[in-house]
Amino acid sequence: MEPPSAPPHRGHIPCQGLLLAVSLSTFWNTLTTAQLTIESVPTNAAEGKDVLLLVHNLPGNLAAYGWYKGDRVDPDQQIALHVIERLEIIPGPLYSGRERMYPNGSLLLQKVTQEDTGYYTLQVINKNFHSEVGTGQLCIYKPVAQPSIQASNITVTEQKDVVVLTCLTNDTGISIQWFFYNQSLRLTERMKLSHENHTLTIDPITREDAGDYQCEVSNPVTSIKSDFITLAVSSEKNTTGLPVRAIACIVIGVLVGVVLVAALGYFLFLTRTSSCDLSWHPSQTSLTFTRTRGQPDLTEHRPPASSPGRGSSSSSASPAPLPGSRTVIPIYQELLHPHANTYCQINHKADVAS
C-alpha cells in the first residue's frame, strides 16, 4: 500500500461523514447494477503469505471507496479510504501499514496473520452520491506442526490384546487421517475411530495388523505426517514368533541329520572290520595276514624245530613236530572262528624278536 500523503487530521472527517451519509442514502436509492462481490485470492491463505481481496462488478463513475474490518460499515473499524479525484489514501483506525489499495477497488494484505481472519466490507460511492456495499470473508491458517503417535502397546498377542493408537497434536481446526504402510488405512470391522479421528482402536489384534502406522494432520493450506510406529504381533501358541510349519521343518531336518550320521558311522565300522583277511592251514607253520586295498602282505615265518643230536634245521627235510594237544586245540578252534579285530592287532615283529 502506498504511504498516506499526510497523517489523518480533522480536515478529512467531513469526507468520512459524507461517506456515512451516502451510505444511509442507499436505503432510498438502490443501485440496479450487478451485485458487488469480494473474492479472497487465494481462498484459504497460509500465515505469512500475501492475500488479495479482489473486487468484482465494481460500479463506474466512482468518487471514492473505503475498506472496513467486519461485516458492516463502521468508522471505528475503517482500514483506509481512497478519494479517487484527489488520488488520496486516508488511513483509518485499523490501518497497519501492510495494506495496499488498487484503482479497481481491490485490497492487498501483506504477510497476513491469524488476527487478519474475519469479514471485510467494501463501500463504493459514485459521483451521484449513490453507494453500494459488498462483504467478503478471509480465512488465515497457521501451518500445522508434525504430530506424533502414542500406542497403548506395540508388542501384542494376536486374538488376545487390544491396541489403541492416539494421534497427538496441538493444532486446532484440522483433519486427521491414518496410514498403514504409507497407504491410506482401510478400516475393518475390528477397527474403530474416535470423534475427529484422534484415536484408532483395534480389537482384537491379528497378525494382519502388524506393521507401520502413521497419522496425518492437515488444514486447507498444509499437511504433515507423523513418524512411523511399528506394531509387532505374535502368536499365543508360538512365543518365538516362528510359524508352526517352520518349526516342523526344523525338527524333521534335525532327525534326518541324526539318521544320516548314524548310517555313516555304521558304514565306516563295517569297512574297517572287513579290511583284514586271515589265512592259515594246519599243515603250515606260518600265519599269513593279508590287508586289503592294495596294502603289502605281512607274513610271519617260524623256523623249523631242530631234532636233538642231528645238527641244524637246514640239514633235515622233515617238518618240525606240532605243539602239544593242549595248545593245538584252542589255537585251531580260534583260527577256524577268527576274530578279525584280534588278528588285525597281532604284531608279528614282536613274535619274531622273541
Side-chain angles (χ1 to χ4, degrees):
M1 174 178 177
E2 297 293 337
S5 56
H9 53 81
R10 295 182 180 273
H12 295 139
I13 294 178
C15 182
Q16 294 179 358
L18 175 65
L19 288 177
L20 180 58
V22 172
S23 175
L24 293 175
S25 69
T26 59
F27 290 101
W28 308 101
N29 299 284
T30 304
L31 298 178
T32 58
T33 59
Q35 185 178 3
L36 182 68
T37 59
I38 299 173
E39 177 189 5
S40 173
V41 181
T43 304
N44 299 304
E47 191 175 34
K49 302 295 183 179
D50 296 347
V51 180
L52 178 66
L53 297 178
L54 182 62
V55 178
H56 296 283
N57 303 321
L58 187 69
N61 195 24
L62 291 180
Y65 61 85
W67 280 97
Y68 301 83
K69 178 72 181 293
D71 58 355
R72 66 183 184 275
V73 176
D74 184 353
D76 294 333
Q77 299 294 317
Q78 188 182 67
I79 299 174
L81 173 67
H82 184 198
V83 181
I84 297 176
E85 291 183 353
R86 290 183 288 178
L87 300 178
E88 184 179 8
I89 296 177
I90 303 172
L94 298 186
Y95 176 76
S96 65
R98 298 180 294 111
E99 299 85 356
R100 183 174 180 177
M101 302 177 72
Y102 293 96
N104 63 356
S106 299
L107 175 67
L108 177 67
L109 301 177
Q110 299 174 326
K111 298 180 179 179
V112 294
T113 65
Q114 290 285 308
E115 287 74 19
D116 295 323
T117 299
Y119 288 96
Y120 289 81
T121 299
L122 172 65
Q123 182 187 44
V124 296
I125 304 170
N126 63 17
K127 294 180 180 180
N128 296 326
F129 302 106
H130 293 162
S131 71
E132 185 177 354
V133 176
T135 301
Q137 187 177 14
L138 177 62
C139 297
I140 308 298
Y141 295 91
K142 185 178 181 180
V144 294
Q146 185 180 26
S148 60
I149 297 180
Q150 181 180 5
S152 58
N153 197 354
I154 60 174
T155 303
V156 293
T157 304
E158 66 172 339
Q159 299 297 339
K160 180 180 179 182
D161 294 330
V162 177
V163 175
V164 179
L165 302 177
T166 304
C167 188
L168 303 178
T169 177
N170 293 325
D171 292 303
T172 58
I174 59 172
S175 60
I176 299 177
Q177 186 176 2
W178 289 89
F179 289 83
F180 181 59
Y181 281 119
N182 211 27
Q183 299 293 328
S184 182
L185 177 64
R186 295 183 178 181
L187 295 178
T188 65
E189 58 183 7
R190 297 176 293 101
M191 297 179 180
K192 182 180 179 181
L193 288 173
S194 66
H195 179 62
E196 297 183 348
N197 298 347
H198 279 277
T199 301
L200 171 65
T201 304
I202 308 176
D203 181 17
I205 199 79
T206 67
R207 296 183 68 86
E208 298 176 355
D209 303 320
D212 299 330
Y213 289 81
Q214 286 177 291
C215 70
E216 180 187 63
V217 296
S218 61
N219 59 22
V221 295
T222 57
S223 63
I224 188 170
K225 292 180 180 179
S226 67
D227 292 331
F228 289 103
I229 187 171
T230 304
L231 291 184
V233 182
S234 61
S235 173
E236 185 176 7
K237 297 180 181 179
N238 178 19
T239 57
T240 61
L242 294 175
V244 177
R245 292 185 178 180
I247 296 178
C249 291
I250 293 174
V251 173
I252 293 175
V254 172
L255 294 178
V256 171
V258 171
V259 172
L260 291 177
V261 171
L264 179 61
Y266 182 70
F267 174 76
L268 294 177
F269 173 77
L270 293 179
T271 303
R272 182 175 180 182
T273 56
S274 61
S275 63
C276 181
D277 186 17
L278 174 65
S279 62
W280 178 82
H281 194 273
S283 62
Q284 297 178 351
T285 59
S286 63
L287 296 176
T288 302
F289 297 90
T290 304
R291 186 170 298 274
T292 59
R293 300 183 181 177
Q295 295 183 2
D297 295 342
L298 301 178
T299 304
E300 178 183 4
H301 298 279
R302 292 185 180 178
S306 59
S307 300
R310 293 187 179 182
S312 64
S313 60
S314 59
S315 60
S316 174
S318 61
L322 293 176
S325 59
R326 292 183 180 179
T327 348
V328 172
I329 294 175
I331 294 178
Y332 179 74
Q333 292 178 352
E334 183 68 21
L335 293 177
L336 289 179
H337 307 282
H339 192 286
N341 288 337
T342 303
Y343 290 102
C344 286
Q345 297 175 2
I346 295 178
N347 188 349
H348 70 278
K349 295 182 179 181
D351 292 341
V352 173
S354 61

